[in-house]
Amino acid sequence: MSQKIAVLPGDGIGIEIVAEAARVLNHLKNDGLDIEMIEAPVGGAGYDAAGKPLPDETLALVKESDAILLGAVGGPQYEALPRELRPERGLLGLRSELGLFANLRPAILYPQLADASSLKPDVVAGLDIMIVRELTGGIYFGEPRGIREKANGEREGFNTLVYSESEVDRIARVAFDIAMKRGKRLCSVDKANVLEVSELWREVVIKAGSDYPQVELSHMYVDNAAMQLVKWPKQFDVMVTKNMFGDILSDAAAMLTGSIGMLPSASLDANSKGMYEPIHGSAPDIAGKGVANPLATILSVAMMLRYSLDYATLADKIEHAVGSVLDKGLRTPDIMAEGCREVGTVEMGEAVLGELSA
Ligand code: IPM
Ligand code: MG
């Protein structure tokens, strides 16, 4: 039976880059990929179409899909909306409604792009880190939360950072499993010197680790981890951390590669159903100009084929095609370098299709 993929372009450059990724998926039908794709609005587009960032029809579609391809959400025209109607709420709603608790954010430096990093080439050459970010708990979702008035009339804002043992255990196990398939080193990032929630986090991660004796487990405070990431990132193999720490560290890790336009991500539930999206945002400043880099989204399709749809061979094929396109010197403006040829979104997508046919 064919597998169903929900295609959610979202806002800004999401529309252009998802179109290229969808063409790649369509093309792979020639190689036996048995899928059906259905498009739906989310984020600002959801608000425009149905008055809310995660329309009911979109939610129904993603729930019955085997995998979701997402572009990006957000744009300046939506910033004045009340918080619950903002595009980001659509994204957070997808994560929580689908139970996508495990966010995999690789930071890989393509050898062809070594000069794109702002760090010295020897610090980042060959970089290959996987950040496993907890995505449906912690301070992003903790209750109580809000803005309230104190007795003296002054307002205060408050959020709750809370993790249960089972939430920590399941994300730790995802990270250990991934470490087993890679370099067998896992660094758990916390703030156990200050926060009780981190104290428990560390305890639970250590306990889960007893089932993974081959994985070398280490712990690092988040401030130090941020510093170590820019100092000597190659010391890391897999990192696992809470929702907000992961949000911050994964941006830093992505930038180590100098090409955030190249990095895919996966958000998985307990059954490996997943949502796949580029790490970068909707980039309203370049939206509609045909210059956005579609490769992160195309590489997200590769992750989808590997983690949710069980077509690892086709995933390899996409990753090879991207490598070949880079080898040939094709570059979108964000990764442009001397001696290369600058191309737009569509031309880059077509080049990948060309490699897939070769
Ligand atoms: C991310 C983004 C989101 C987050 C925003 C858009 C809500 O920064 O996916 O990293 O904070 O999780
Ligand atoms: Mg972020």
Side-chain angles (χ1 to χ4, degrees), residues 36 76 88 119 146 154 198-199 214 254 264 272 283 290 347:
E36 178 196 0
E88 293 74 17
L119 277 80
E154 189 194 2
S198 276
E199 209 179 297
Q214 287 141 285
S272 294
E347 201 180 339

Side-chain angles (χ1 to χ4, degrees), residues 174-249:
V174 169
F176 277 114
D177 284 336
I178 290 174
M180 282 298 289
K181 294 186 193 140
R182 296 176 38 112
K184 298 197 172 58
R185 285 182 299 118
L186 176 63
C187 179
S188 171
V189 176
D190 62 35
K191 190 70 186 174
N193 50 344
V194 178
L195 305 173
E196 286 80 358
V197 54
S198 276
E199 209 179 297
L200 182 70
W201 173 283
R202 193 178 279 217
E203 203 181 286
V204 175
V205 171
I206 290 172
K207 201 165 155 214
S210 63
D211 288 338
Y212 299 86
Q214 287 141 285
V215 177
E216 180 192 319
L217 173 66
S218 60
H219 305 271
M220 212 178 259
Y221 298 140
V222 62
D223 48 350
N224 185 28
M227 190 174 76
Q228 296 298 332
L229 260 180
V230 291
K231 186 179 173 204
W232 189 243
K234 285 190 270 185
Q235 67 186 281
F236 297 110
D237 176 20
V238 182
M239 302 173 92
V240 63
T241 192
K242 302 185 177 69
N243 204 341
M244 189 157 72
F245 295 166
D247 178 44
I248 299 165
L249 293 180

Side-chain angles (χ1 to χ4, degrees), residues 34-338:
D34 188 10
I35 52 157
E36 178 196 0
M37 287 188 270
I38 302 173
E39 200 174 307
V42 75
Y47 174 77
D48 291 338
K52 50 184 177 178
L54 181 51
D56 299 343
E57 278 181 34
T58 302
L59 183 58
L61 170 70
V62 296
K63 283 195 168 163
E64 62 177 37
S65 298
D66 298 289
I68 299 126
L69 178 64
L70 178 76
V73 300
Q77 68 271 46
Y78 306 110
E79 269 160 27
L81 288 171
R83 183 166 300 277
E84 64 280 6
L85 293 179
R86 288 205 207 134
E88 293 74 17
R89 277 299 162 108
L91 184 58
L92 297 172
L94 284 168
R95 290 173 181 171
S96 66
E97 288 283 345
L98 297 173
L100 305 172
F101 69 91
N103 187 206
L104 279 38
R105 298 191 163 189
I108 295 170
L109 184 65
Y110 285 78
Q112 300 93 329
L113 304 180
D115 291 335
S117 177
S118 51
L119 277 80
K120 295 192 193 91
D122 71 304
V123 174
V124 290
L127 185 75
D128 182 356
I129 300 176
M130 176 69 91
I131 295 189
V132 179
R133 169 189 177 193
E134 200 290 327
L135 201 60
T136 52
I139 201 163
Y140 272 54
F141 294 95
E143 297 282 350
R145 62 190 296 162
I147 298 172
R148 64 191 165 202
E149 204 167 300
K150 300 200 292 182
N152 67 2
E154 189 194 2
R155 291 183 308 153
E156 65 181 5
F158 58 102
N159 288 88
T160 302
L161 174 47
V162 55
Y163 271 108
S164 64
E165 292 180 287
S166 57
E167 282 178 304
V168 180
D169 182 70
R170 65 180 183 175
I171 192 69
R173 285 175 192 277
V174 169
F176 277 114
D177 284 336
I178 290 174
M180 282 298 289
K181 294 186 193 140
R182 296 176 38 112
K184 298 197 172 58
R185 285 182 299 118
L186 176 63
C187 179
S188 171
V189 176
D190 62 35
K191 190 70 186 174
N193 50 344
V194 178
L195 305 173
E196 286 80 358
V197 54
S198 276
E199 209 179 297
L200 182 70
W201 173 283
R202 193 178 279 217
E203 203 181 286
V204 175
V205 171
I206 290 172
K207 201 165 155 214
S210 63
D211 288 338
Y212 299 86
Q214 287 141 285
V215 177
E216 180 192 319
L217 173 66
S218 60
H219 305 271
M220 212 178 259
Y221 298 140
V222 62
D223 48 350
N224 185 28
M227 190 174 76
Q228 296 298 332
L229 260 180
V230 291
K231 186 179 173 204
W232 189 243
K234 285 190 270 185
Q235 67 186 281
F236 297 110
D237 176 20
V238 182
M239 302 173 92
V240 63
T241 192
K242 302 185 177 69
N243 204 341
M244 189 157 72
F245 295 166
D247 178 44
I248 299 165
L249 293 180
S250 65
D251 265 27
M255 213 50 226
L256 294 174
T257 71
S259 41
I260 196 165
M262 294 296 302
L263 299 175
S265 76
S267 306
L268 306 176
D269 76 359
N271 306 307
S272 294
K273 169 171 171 169
M275 181 161 84
Y276 298 83
E277 60 181 304
I279 281 187
H280 61 72
S282 58
D285 53 320
I286 57 163
K289 295 189 177 154
V291 296
N293 186 348
L295 294 179
T297 318
I298 291 172
L299 291 166
S300 299
V301 165
M303 284 188 99
M304 174 191 287
L305 295 172
R306 180 167 289 122
Y307 289 101
S308 286
L309 304 184
D310 210 10
Y311 283 95
T313 320
L314 294 184
D316 290 343
K317 199 170 165 178
I318 294 178
E319 285 160 1
H320 276 126
V322 169
S324 306
V325 167
L326 294 176
D327 284 339
K328 291 189 171 153
L330 268 64
R331 302 283 188 273
T332 43
D334 57 307
I335 50 173
M336 185 57 193
E338 226 181 273

